């Protein structure tokens, strides 16, 4: 089986971004018996901006599991409140119950995933619990009817048998220099492919395996080790391995300012460097048909460095001045409120080892409201021919119509309707 990391957008309200150190695993059922209500459908549903709930994985009877949140971020799935142990300390797994699926197989798939997570986070069997454990809701209903969570626990294998793809939840160290390109020290094919800017999904690895003479690829450790050796040795083609880019000159921005690798740069600022996230960033910054080529990676690296040099904060006094929530405040000023971005802002403002505690969030809120220990950099000037949407995207500010309307009101532009004249005036005022 394969796990697809299809994360909820950081701007969504159902991606709270609080730090998660899992001590429980919570089992749910989707309760959606409609034909076609499989894992892929629920992946689309949970990314809808109007969806209020969120969880980490959706499992059906097929060979693909969808992951919706990083495993170092919490979700809203347990029904025990904003500070409840279920919501703040457990990984949520939803099992599909679509009538055109095989529920028994879906349960077996979920049990395999559960074992992998138990091993990864040292979660004991008695902490694999039902949704009902936290809120009293009769969920997962079919499992409860069949004898309760103990019935599900009996399906959990004694060892992990599912190849779960690795995540970049924490900054990775820069690999040492070597004669070859990419990370030359890792034993993981996923990490290696990410380091050279190539899609590391199961489907692409299977394609590379076929190209390199590995038949019946299922993602076993032996197959992955062989594929890694072949790609590193250059005996066969990796399909689309980009050539290393020249390193840009050092600058005063955050993150690794000497690397020419988009993967290394994203890791250095604590952002997800997977192909899927880079593709999402490419779309956000106007790079179409992203395939991870050297040229595209260099362009994306330049755009992200411009974003991170720019100020994401207004002068003191802007935004929601009454809230005690850092997330609400950042949203009110049109700045990314995700855990990753808060971690970056914390580092910039002298808060070390940010884990999203109440004390750290309060300190960060106070620093941002006051302008921080060091004043924000001046926003860059617009480029020739650049519009307000592209400019806001470049400096990392929400470019949606609703946020532009908010900015227009903040900068004294009345009755904003998004006309060319209003957008030109807004660009001029925002970039001063």
């Amino acid at each position: 089986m394969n796990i697809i990391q299809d994360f909820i957008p950081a701007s969504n309200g159902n991606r709270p971004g609080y730090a998660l150190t899992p001590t429980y695993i919570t089992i749910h059922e989707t309760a959606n018996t409609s034909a076609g209500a499989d894992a892929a459908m629920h992946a689309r549903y949970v990314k809808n901006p109007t969806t209020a709930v969120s969880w980490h994985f959706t499992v059906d009877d097929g060979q693909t599991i969808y992951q919706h949140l990083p495993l170092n971020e919490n979700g809203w799935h347990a029904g025990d409140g904003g500070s409840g142990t279920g919501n703040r300390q457990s990984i949520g797994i939803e099992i599909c119950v679509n009538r055109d699926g095989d529920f028994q197989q879906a349960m077996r798939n979920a049990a395999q995933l559960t074992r992998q997570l138990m091993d990864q986070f040292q979660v004991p069997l008695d902490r694999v619990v039902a949704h009902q454990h936290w809120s009293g809701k009769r969920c997962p209903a079919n499992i409860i009817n069949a004898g309760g969570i103990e019935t599900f626990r009996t399906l959990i294998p004694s060892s992990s048998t599912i190849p779960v793809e690795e995540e970049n939840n924490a900054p990775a160290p820069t690999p040492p220099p070597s004669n070859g390109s990419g990370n030359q020290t890792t034993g993981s094919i996923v990490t290696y492919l990410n380091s050279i800017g190539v899609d590391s999904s199961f489907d692409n690895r299977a394609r590379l395996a076929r190209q390199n003479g590995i038949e019946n690829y299922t993602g076993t450790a032996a197959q992955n080790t062989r594929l890694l050796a072949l790609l590193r040795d250059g005996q066969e083609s990796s399909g689309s391995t980009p050539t290393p880019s020249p390193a840009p000159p050092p600058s005063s921005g955050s993150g690794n300012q000497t690397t020419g690798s988009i993967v290394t740069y994203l890791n250095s600022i604590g952002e997800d460097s997977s192909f899927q996230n880079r593709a999402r960033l490419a779309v956000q910054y106007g790079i179409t048909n992203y395939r991870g080529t050297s040229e595209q990676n260099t362009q994306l690296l330049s755009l992200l460095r411009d974003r991170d040099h720019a100020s994401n904060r207004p002068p003191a006094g802007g935004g929601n001045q009454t809230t005690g929530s850092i997330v609400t405040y950042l949203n009110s000023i049109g700045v990314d409120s995700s855990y990753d971005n808060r971690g970056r802002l914390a580092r910039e403002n002298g808060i070390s080892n940010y884990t999203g505690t109440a004390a750290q969030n309060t300190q960060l809120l106070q620093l941002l409201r006051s302008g921080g220990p060091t004043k924000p950099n001046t926003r860059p000037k617009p480029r020739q021919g650049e519009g307000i949407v592209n400019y806001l995207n470049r400096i990392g500010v929400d470019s949606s119509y609703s946020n532009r309307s908010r900015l227009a009101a903040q900068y004294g532009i009345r009755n904003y309707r998004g006309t060319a004249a209003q957008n030109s005036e807004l660009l001029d005022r925002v970039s001063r």
Side-chain angles (χ1 to χ4, degrees), residues 365-412:
L365 178 62
Q366 291 172 345
L367 287 169
L368 294 183
R369 276 199 176 125
S370 65
T374 57
K375 296 297 181 183
N377 298 329
T378 303
R379 283 178 171 165
K381 295 297 182 184
R383 295 169 175 167
Q384 185 175 4
E386 187 173 43
I388 183 65
V389 171
N390 288 337
Y391 177 80
L392 291 175
N393 284 338
R394 180 161 64 90
I395 66 172
V397 175
D398 179 11
S399 64
S400 66
Y401 179 84
S402 59
N403 194 54
R404 283 184 280 125
S405 297
R406 185 189 64 76
L407 290 170
Q410 179 181 331
Y411 286 94

Side-chain angles (χ1 to χ4, degrees), residues 317-375:
N320 186 326
Q321 295 296 311
T322 59
T323 184
S325 164
I326 183 63
V327 172
T328 301
Y329 174 72
L330 290 173
N331 286 337
S332 76
I333 60 175
V335 173
D336 176 11
S337 63
S338 68
Y339 177 82
D340 288 344
N341 195 51
R342 284 183 279 127
R344 184 179 64 79
L345 291 171
R347 289 192 299 273
E348 288 180 356
N349 286 276
I351 302 173
S352 57
N353 302 317
Y354 180 83
T355 57
T357 66
Q360 289 174 324
N361 285 336
T362 299
Q363 183 183 4
L364 181 58
L365 178 62
Q366 291 172 345
L367 287 169
L368 294 183
R369 276 199 176 125
S370 65
T374 57
K375 296 297 181 183

